[in-house]
Amino acid sequence: MNHTALQLLLAGLVVLPLVGALAALLPAPPGLRGKNPDQAVLRHGVTVTGVVLAAAIALAAGFDHGHPARMQATTDLSWIPALGIRIHLGVDGISLPLLVLTALLTFLCALYTYFKMPTGPSPKAFVALLLTLEAGTLATFAVLDLMLFFLAFEMVLIPMYFLIARWGGAQKQAAAWKFILYTLLGSVVMLLGLLLIGVKSGTFDMVALATDNGPKAQLSHTVQLLAALAIGIGLAVKSPMWPLHSWLPDAHTAAPTVGSVLLAGVLLKMGTYGFVRIALPITPEGMHTFAPYLAALAAVGIIYGSLACLALVRKGAGGDLKRLIAYSSVGHMGFVLLGIASMTPTGVNGALFANIAHGLITGLLFFMVGALKDRTGSTDLDTLARSAPGPRPAGSGAAALLPAPSGAALYARAPRFGGLLAFGAVASLGLPGLAGFWGEMLAMFGAFRPAAGLSRPAFLTFMVLAGLGTLLTAAYLLLVVRRVCMGGSVDLAGAAVLGAADPDGETGADPDGTPAPAPAVPDLARYEYAAWTPLAALTVLAGLWPAALLGLTDPAVQQLLGGGK
């Protein structure tokens, strides 16, 4: 595909959602209104996001895969000459997968919303905000000017705030305010770092600044330290890095289903992408100084997220499944930050791979938890685990201790739904052969042998902590499957109990021992198959064929860490 066509495709990715957002607020033409105006605007959202996804796929198909380190589909126009700010767009092997992931997840969210609109105000505003959010996210991954990056980075905050505050669940106002205040405060600090780079180097061009013999030579060691610290704080809030993560569980718990999918699937990736695109190549000396601290906080985040999930999954804790997955994101993004902190091609490639894997897997999980709440009216783990006693295994010894799925458990009531939920859980824990495995493994390999000048004993310690985190992750996710899909209760002290043996009454049985009838749980609907199958299929594909993604990112990462060489 020629350069002009690629230029138009990349520009269209950014502009089309904005045009679609404006069109969503206008009255529908008479021939397109149909019988229900609300369905007409939801159909408009599916159409626009579908066109954007088609453009992203066409861009990926036309991309020169033989030279993924080279910026392609570039547009470079003067915008504010007095400040040296330019409309500079481009895509390489680092940003292309994130562009496609954003377009895919937004389309699937629009498709899901067409059939399951969240409770709230007019669908017009919902679709307009969804498309504005998509435009800002795509622009973040496509722009190559520091000021444009900041504007795109901020552009997503207002739509997400309103999606949470107007269409969210319990405590939505408090969660929305916490989200906006945390992220805005981080952005103000980040802006200072970006301005410092621009003033001291004389340019905001990210490509020029990433080259060793370019304007970056004007940045002294002190300037790089200050800029890396300021930019890192802003990006760490969005990533989210412990201890700047506390806005995330509240935002996820209160957000509507598609808000949680996009927040986990693409918005968190904006922070880690900024580390790779800006902090590593433009302020390498500053990053080298702060890398051990970043790695330490990442390792703490991995352990903290896993322990928080284990506390939530415990019987009687009143844990919320949606909140549990939010805390799991803190741990998973810790692996991404650990890979970045190693400052090696192996670690950074692992971080980029883990970014994509987390978007696919956690997006699927949030879709399913939202659907589970629609079916049962709750995401409380104790409520979901209450089930009628199933047939106990015949015989004695070990066979008699094996749990049997309860008649009211998800496997028995909605087997395809339960099976897909279990698939998402084992993919999230990093099962080999699925997408979650490669990113975490490569991030730990990067920590095993960090960049020259970094303390190897310290990074080996961080790698061991990350390895422990993988074990804890497997523990809490398998307990989730045990409780939600198989029924019964889980005692973390060592007792796994089913049916009448449950002393706390989690069986749902009547006092006389007669099993209470379990309410019906519909299995997967056709629109759910359509919205979730691509995520499951890509999770398997990325796990079995990691070279498809690593072949794109590795040359670009090598060039970025090599100072443009």
Side-chain angles (χ1 to χ4, degrees):
M1 190 177 294
N2 63 48
H3 179 67
T4 303
L6 289 176
Q7 275 184 313
L8 293 175
L9 284 172
L10 185 58
L13 282 178
V14 177
V15 175
L16 278 175
L18 283 177
V19 175
L22 292 174
L25 298 174
L26 301 175
L32 298 178
R33 289 177 187 170
K35 296 180 180 179
N36 187 336
D38 288 348
Q39 288 299 105
V41 73
L42 293 174
R43 187 165 56 246
H44 168 79
V46 175
T47 303
V48 174
T49 55
V51 172
V52 172
L53 176 59
I57 293 173
L59 178 66
F63 186 82
D64 184 0
H65 293 261
H67 300 86
R70 190 181 73 238
M71 280 295 172
Q72 301 180 36
T74 54
T75 299
D76 192 1
L77 303 172
S78 178
W79 184 33
I80 307 178
L83 299 178
I85 301 175
R86 305 181 67 82
I87 299 176
H88 192 183
L89 306 176
V91 61
D92 65 356
I94 294 173
S95 54
L96 181 62
L98 291 166
L99 287 169
V100 176
L101 176 67
T102 301
L104 173 64
L105 283 176
T106 311
F107 169 71
L108 296 180
C109 285
L111 180 65
Y112 185 83
T113 302
Y114 180 79
F115 294 95
K116 199 69 179 178
M117 175 69 195
T119 303
S122 164
K124 277 191 172 186
F126 185 91
V127 171
L129 290 169
L130 185 68
L131 292 173
T132 304
L133 183 68
E134 180 181 33
T137 311
L138 289 169
T140 301
F141 300 136
V143 298
L144 297 173
D145 184 278
L146 290 177
M147 288 297 100
L148 281 186
F149 176 86
F150 176 78
L151 293 175
F153 199 85
E154 296 303 288
M155 184 177 170
V156 305
L157 300 185
I158 300 304
M160 182 54 72
Y161 167 81
F162 280 110
L163 287 175
I164 296 172
R166 302 300 297 276
W167 287 272
Q171 305 296 321
K172 58 186 179 182
Q173 294 292 341
W177 274 109
K178 196 171 185 179
F179 163 77
I180 198 75
L181 290 176
Y182 262 78
T183 49
L184 278 178
L185 181 61
S187 297
V188 170
V189 179
M190 182 177 72
L191 177 61
L192 296 177
L194 297 176
L195 289 173
L196 179 63
I197 290 175
V199 170
K200 293 298 183 179
S201 67
T203 182
F204 292 107
D205 189 285
M206 292 157 67
V207 176
L209 285 165
T211 305
D212 280 344
N213 58 359
K216 183 169 63 177
Q218 305 299 318
L219 302 178
S220 67
H221 179 72
T222 302
V223 169
Q224 289 200 33
L225 283 177
L226 293 174
L229 179 61
I231 294 170
I233 290 173
L235 296 174
V237 172
K238 186 66 73 72
S239 290
M241 181 185 74
W242 183 91
L244 303 175
H245 69 285
S246 61
W247 61 271
L248 183 71
D250 292 339
H252 269 308
T253 305
T257 297
V258 297
S260 292
V261 170
L262 292 176
L263 182 58
V266 293
L267 264 67
L268 302 188
K269 312 304 177 282
M270 294 165 58
T272 51
Y273 172 79
F275 274 109
V276 175
R277 179 64 74 192
I278 298 174
L280 279 178
I282 298 177
T283 60
E285 294 179 25
M287 278 296 295
H288 195 277
T289 299
F290 292 116
Y293 305 100
L294 177 61
L297 293 174
V300 171
I302 293 170
I303 300 297
Y304 170 83
S306 300
L307 292 177
C309 291
L310 280 171
L312 288 171
V313 80
R314 191 182 68 250
K315 186 182 70 173
D320 184 279
L321 183 54
K322 201 173 185 185
R323 194 174 188 85
L324 183 146
I325 297 173
Y327 272 109
S328 78
S329 291
V330 176
H332 288 305
M333 297 311 290
F335 282 98
V336 177
L337 293 170
L338 178 62
I340 293 170
S342 73
M343 298 187 70
T344 63
T346 301
V348 176
N349 276 302
L352 293 173
F353 198 103
N355 256 346
I356 300 300
H358 180 264
L360 295 172
I361 297 167
T362 309
L364 174 63
L365 286 173
F366 274 119
F367 265 135
M368 300 199 72
V369 173
L372 192 60
K373 184 175 183 179
D374 292 336
R375 285 162 163 79
T376 64
S378 176
T379 53
D380 179 78
L381 279 162
D382 290 329
T383 301
L384 294 172
R386 291 191 184 101
S387 56
R392 306 191 67 79
S396 60
L401 299 177
L402 292 174
S406 166
L410 200 56
Y411 281 160
R413 297 156 71 188
R416 289 184 291 276
F417 192 102
L420 189 57
L421 181 61
F423 168 83
V426 297
S428 185
L429 64 83
L431 185 72
L434 298 177
F437 170 74
W438 296 104
E440 295 180 1
M441 183 193 70
L442 291 172
M444 287 191 288
F445 276 176
F448 179 74
R449 197 174 297 278
L454 296 177
S455 170
R456 194 177 183 209
F459 273 81
L460 286 175
T461 303
F462 304 145
M463 183 195 73
V464 170
L465 290 174
L468 176 61
T470 62
L471 298 178
L472 297 175
T473 300
Y476 72 73
L477 285 170
L478 290 176
L479 292 179
V480 166
V481 173
R482 173 67 180 77
R483 298 196 72 191
V484 177
C485 296
M486 301 187 71
S489 63
V490 174
D491 183 346
L492 293 183
V497 191
L498 278 177
D502 187 347
D504 290 341
E506 240 185 347
T507 62
D510 292 335
D512 62 357
T514 303
V521 174
D523 215 333
L524 294 179
R526 289 183 179 179
Y527 71 91
E528 291 171 336
Y529 273 117
W532 303 345
T533 299
L535 299 178
L538 288 172
T539 298
V540 175
L541 180 63
L544 296 178
W545 190 26
L549 183 56
L550 294 173
L552 278 175
T553 61
D554 185 55
V557 167
Q558 296 275 2
Q559 179 169 299
L560 212 60
L561 294 179
K565 300 175 184 176

